[in-house]
Amino acid sequence: MDYALNNKRRVIRLVLQWAAMYGDVLQEDDVAMAFLEEFYVSVSDDARMIATLKEQLPELEKIVKQISEDAKTPQKKHKVLLQQFNTGDERAQKRQPIRGSDEVLFKVYCMDHTYTTIRVPVAASVKEVLSAVADKLGSGDGLIIVKMSSGGEKVVLKPNDVSVFTTLTINGRLFACPREQFDSLTPLPEQEGPTVGTVGTFELMSSKDLAYQMTIYDWELFNCVHELELIYHTFGRHHFKKTTANLDLFLRRFNEIQFWVVTEICLCSQPSKRVQLLKKFIKIAAHCKEYKNLNSFFAIVMGLSNVAVSRLALTWEKLPSKFKKFYAEFESLMDPSRNHRAYRLTVAKLEPPLIPFMPLLIKDMTFTHEGNKTFIDNLVNFEKMNKQEQQKEDESRFI
């Protein structure tokens, strides 16, 4: 009897911890909500016969009731996001995580560069996107959805691919066309990016203030990423039919900063101004490191080490030695040898909160997933699962 009772109490504690950790996510899962309610009823029934279980019943009732009520509140209802996920929220408002039930207004282009605007859930599959496009165009026979990068690279999306909007590259666009017209697709003129830099305005801004504002913005993005999104991203969104929108936006932010650095320097035609830009970006990187914003720090350093910038030998020669020394120190932290030992040692010395270098965390989880079988002799490989869990917890440890 004691053995059975202890097992019941352990199960209740486990469910309480699970519900407390994943409450917001469970609200979107009808099966999970039904399980919680059924579990509460079962524990209530057992508590009538086993008095010691009544101690845990109030806490269980409270958490089940809270999750159920939160799921029904207007604030938890889906919101509509504008294309490219510029949510338009007032800056005074705290950024809210994107949920799979949220809807997105998005432009899908045709071969002649006209477009139709569709409204679908963020986690919509390509099949659902095609259906929405067909409704707008009046016909969808033989249509395919193509992801087009600014460089003209084209990828035909599979019908079961999900959350395609958030996985677009910077300046990427979605096209719908008959399969036979695939080779004729061309990028939009707007995808080519800017032709004039902003050095005139940029050099007037304080490097420290810029780094601070970047860190605030990056922190909001990072804070919206749920650790489960790392699992969905690693194992494949289509297996779970879940969105990784918040993680995708945070990863896109890294690329935006990196290409911002490259673009500003390459669009500056005056060598003396380019030297000033190099100094400016090195200062911003230093302040980002000071604010423990390692994601933006590495994005800036990788932008400066991009071949389009690093080949500007005359510009680098004119950079003061003090800044060359700073940059060399920054590059040493990017050293990939010994499994990025320099970066890992630096992070280990920092106290949370901090914003980690997310691409490396993704790389670690992908390496563990692809290098280890999920099942061995039809049994779950718990050693792999434990490794993935430890890596996933790294994300929450930084907050």
Side-chain angles (χ1 to χ4, degrees):
M1 183 65 181
D2 287 343
Y3 176 76
L5 175 60
N6 287 334
N7 279 342
K8 285 179 181 289
R9 297 182 71 170
R10 278 198 292 266
V11 170
I12 294 172
R13 280 199 300 273
L14 177 63
V15 172
L16 285 171
Q17 291 174 351
W18 171 65
M21 182 174 292
Y22 298 120
D24 288 343
V25 179
L26 299 182
Q27 293 165 14
E28 300 180 47
D29 193 327
D30 293 338
V31 175
M33 292 297 293
F35 165 77
L36 275 176
E37 291 168 4
E38 185 178 339
F39 182 78
Y40 171 68
V41 171
S42 298
V43 174
S44 298
D45 291 342
D46 283 356
R48 293 191 187 99
M49 296 178 288
I50 308 173
T52 51
L53 291 182
K54 290 181 179 179
E55 299 172 9
Q56 294 170 296
L57 194 59
E59 186 179 358
L60 180 61
E61 180 182 13
K62 180 183 176 182
I63 201 163
V64 171
K65 188 176 180 181
Q66 181 182 336
I67 293 174
S68 298
E69 289 178 352
D70 284 352
K72 296 172 185 175
T73 56
Q75 291 83 1
K76 293 291 182 179
K77 300 293 184 183
H78 73 260
K79 53 183 177 285
V80 179
L81 310 172
L82 302 180
Q83 66 159 347
Q84 301 296 35
F85 296 89
N86 294 326
T87 61
D89 290 339
E90 294 295 329
R91 294 309 299 152
Q93 294 179 342
K94 184 180 178 182
R95 176 184 288 272
Q96 297 298 318
I98 297 172
R99 295 153 56 94
S101 57
D102 292 339
E103 293 185 324
V104 58
L105 289 172
F106 211 85
K107 293 177 181 177
V108 179
Y109 293 85
C110 300
M111 193 182 72
D112 60 358
H113 292 181
T114 58
Y115 65 85
T116 181
T117 303
I118 61 173
R119 176 173 169 170
V120 292
V122 171
S125 66
V126 169
K127 188 176 180 181
E128 291 171 303
V129 172
L130 275 171
S131 177
V133 170
D135 287 344
K136 285 295 189 76
L137 298 180
S139 173
D141 295 339
L143 286 182
I144 57 173
I145 295 293
V146 180
K147 188 161 59 173
M148 173 87 75
S149 72
S150 57
E153 297 172 351
K154 296 172 283 190
V155 177
V156 178
L157 299 178
K158 300 174 184 177
N160 65 338
D161 286 342
V162 297
S163 199
V164 295
F165 306 106
T166 58
T167 59
L168 288 174
T169 57
I170 299 172
N171 291 337
R173 298 291 185 270
L174 283 186
F175 284 76
C177 70
R179 189 172 291 276
E180 59 271 15
Q181 294 180 358
F182 172 77
D183 293 331
S184 302
L185 287 178
T186 57
L188 302 171
E190 67 189 52
Q191 288 184 256
E192 295 178 5
T195 56
V196 180
T198 60
V199 62
T201 306
F202 183 45
E203 64 183 356
L204 299 176
M205 299 178 184
S206 161
S207 301
K208 189 166 187 175
D209 288 347
L210 270 172
Y212 180 71
Q213 293 301 324
M214 287 168 65
T215 300
I216 290 175
Y217 185 77
D218 292 350
W219 177 255
E220 288 186 357
L221 286 175
F222 175 61
N223 212 25
C224 286
V225 178
H226 196 285
E227 55 190 24
L228 280 179
E229 292 187 52
L230 296 170
I231 297 294
Y232 301 152
H233 185 280
T234 304
F235 283 81
R237 303 170 191 80
H238 58 281
H239 292 307
F240 303 92
K241 292 184 172 57
K242 298 286 187 180
T243 183
T244 56
N246 302 291
L247 176 59
D248 295 335
L249 290 182
F250 187 60
L251 291 172
R252 181 189 292 179
R253 173 67 173 169
F254 182 90
N255 292 330
E256 284 176 348
I257 294 174
Q258 181 182 351
F259 290 123
W260 167 54
V261 173
V262 177
T263 301
E264 287 293 346
I265 293 174
C266 289
L267 288 179
C268 182
S269 57
Q270 298 175 265
S272 60
K273 291 286 187 183
R274 280 204 301 269
V275 173
Q276 293 304 313
L277 279 176
L278 284 181
K279 290 169 64 177
K280 188 81 168 180
F281 281 120
I282 290 172
K283 286 179 183 178
I284 295 172
H287 289 305
C288 283
K289 184 170 177 282
E290 177 188 344
Y291 292 133
K292 296 188 282 190
N293 181 358
L294 300 180
N295 201 62
S296 286
F297 166 76
F298 275 100
I300 293 171
V301 175
M302 289 185 73
L304 293 172
S305 63
N306 185 286
V307 66
V309 177
S310 62
R311 68 180 178 82
L312 301 173
L314 294 178
T315 303
W316 284 97
E317 282 178 11
K318 294 178 181 178
L319 187 69
S321 57
K322 180 177 75 171
F323 287 90
K324 287 180 181 177
K325 183 180 178 182
F326 285 148
Y327 179 65
E329 291 174 1
F330 296 164
E331 276 198 312
S332 67
L333 289 177
M334 289 177 53
D335 182 7
S337 64
R338 300 175 70 180
N339 195 19
H340 295 270
R341 185 171 185 270
Y343 166 76
R344 296 182 195 279
L345 287 175
T346 299
V347 172
K349 295 174 185 176
L350 297 176
E351 290 292 328
L354 62 90
I355 305 174
F357 178 37
M358 186 59 79
L360 182 58
L361 184 55
I362 294 292
K363 177 186 172 185
D364 288 344
M365 293 196 68
T366 303
F367 182 81
T368 301
H369 172 54
E370 294 180 351
N372 298 275
K373 293 180 179 179
T374 303
F375 296 95
I376 299 177
D377 297 331
N378 293 324
L379 298 174
V380 175
N381 181 1
F382 277 101
E383 185 177 354
K384 172 184 175 177
M385 297 299 110
N386 283 331
K387 284 182 181 178
Q388 298 263 247
E389 177 64 22
Q390 289 168 9
Q391 290 166 338
K392 179 171 67 69
E393 285 180 353
D394 278 348
E395 189 248 359
S396 57
R397 181 175 62 83
F398 296 130
I399 297 176

